């Protein structure tokens, strides 16, 4: 029984080491701990970083569940939790497409004869984004994550698995103020 316990501790410590993130500059220690906890739970299930990030539970749900009562107004801290939850959902909602878009970036430009601008312009048009990418879209809560998705997808063309954490980290660092506006 002691051997099993030692092995379990070693496996758990390996998961914690593998799944330790410093994701967002505006995360508190408690939020970061909850993020890492949810990531490690998902990683233990899928044993794959991109799947774990895609299917992990939103760490902000834990904090939002603590907001009780039928308040007509949220205080600033509560608004912040809701905004961070929304940002997480936006970033996570497109995460499963990151590896394919990075692959398509490489295939369409290297084998399909498209230039970078042709490829990104066609994607942008499909998602109602400006191309060349605009500051206006980068400050829009419904477009910023998508614009970043295409930029990072191009940056990691053919290497999506290598760039998925960078995309997600960068996406979770989009200004939370864009998302707070919904709750004001």
């Amino acid at each position: 029984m002691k051997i099993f316990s030692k092995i379990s501790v070693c496996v758990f410590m390996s998961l914690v080491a593998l799944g330790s993130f410093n994701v967002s500059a505006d995360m508190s220690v408690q939020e970061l701990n909850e993020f890492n906890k949810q990531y490690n739970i998902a990683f233990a299930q899928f044993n794959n970083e991109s799947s774990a990030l895609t299917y992990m539970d939103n760490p902000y749900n834990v904090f939002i569940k603590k907001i009780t009562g039928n308040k007509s107004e949220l205080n600033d801290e509560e608004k912040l939790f809701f905004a961070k939850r929304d940002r997480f959902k936006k970033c996570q909602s497109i995460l499963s497409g990151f590896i394919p878009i990075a692959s398509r970036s490489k295939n369409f430009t290297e084998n399909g004869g498209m230039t970078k601008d042709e490829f990104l312009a066609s994607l942008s048009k499909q998602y109602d984004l400006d191309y060349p990418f605009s500051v206006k879209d980068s400050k829009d809560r419904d477009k910023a994550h998508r614009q970043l998705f295409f930029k990072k997808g191009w940056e990691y063309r053919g290497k999506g698995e290598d760039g998925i954490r960078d995309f997600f980290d960068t996406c979770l660092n989009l200004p939370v103020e864009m998302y707070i506006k919904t709750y004001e």
Side-chain angles (χ1 to χ4, degrees):
M1 196 61 149
K2 287 184 180 184
I3 293 173
F4 180 72
S5 297
K6 288 179 183 178
I7 292 171
S8 296
V9 169
C10 289
V11 169
F12 177 74
M13 294 308 287
S14 297
L15 285 173
V16 170
L18 176 66
S20 182
F21 282 79
N22 264 335
V23 180
S24 176
D26 63 13
M27 277 186 166
S28 69
V29 172
Q30 295 84 1
E31 291 168 287
L32 185 58
N33 288 341
E34 187 61 31
F35 179 96
N36 287 326
K37 175 185 169 190
Q38 296 303 326
Y39 172 80
N40 285 313
I41 290 169
F43 189 86
Q45 181 178 0
F46 295 104
N47 202 28
N48 175 285
E49 181 177 49
S50 61
S51 295
L53 290 171
T54 300
Y55 298 110
M56 67 185 274
D57 287 342
N58 189 324
Y60 294 100
N61 289 341
V62 170
F63 301 101
I64 289 172
K65 284 179 185 175
K66 293 179 182 177
I67 299 171
T68 58
N70 294 325
K71 297 180 181 181
S72 60
E73 288 190 32
L74 300 170
N75 67 37
D76 289 343
E77 182 182 26
E78 292 166 342
K79 288 177 188 176
L80 187 59
F81 281 130
F82 277 90
K84 288 178 177 182
R85 181 203 58 187
D86 292 353
R87 178 179 61 187
F88 183 93
K89 285 168 60 174
K90 289 272 188 191
C91 295
Q92 190 181 42
S93 72
I94 58 175
L95 196 59
S96 65
F98 186 78
I99 294 170
I101 199 70
S103 179
R104 284 179 43 207
S105 294
K106 181 177 180 169
N107 291 339
F108 278 76
T109 56
E110 291 181 13
N111 303 328
M114 292 180 86
T115 66
K116 172 187 176 183
D117 287 336
E118 289 170 335
F119 179 72
L120 292 175
S122 71
L123 289 174
S124 297
K125 186 177 181 179
Q126 292 174 37
Y127 292 95
D128 192 32
L129 294 173
D130 295 335
Y131 190 82
F133 296 127
S134 68
V135 173
K136 178 185 77 153
D137 284 352
S138 72
K139 293 182 180 192
D140 183 310
R141 67 171 266 133
D142 295 318
K143 295 182 176 186
H145 65 290
R146 182 80 55 194
Q147 186 185 79
L148 180 64
F149 177 79
F150 294 140
K151 284 181 179 179
K152 290 291 186 180
W154 174 260
E155 181 181 334
Y156 286 99
R157 61 192 174 280
K159 301 176 192 154
E161 192 69 49
D162 296 342
I164 198 159
R165 184 183 282 210
D166 180 42
F167 163 71
F168 200 54
D169 288 353
T170 306
C171 194
L172 290 178
N173 277 290
L174 289 171
V176 74
E177 292 78 20
M178 289 190 291
Y179 305 90
I180 286 180
K181 292 175 186 176
T182 303
Y183 300 101
E184 293 181 339

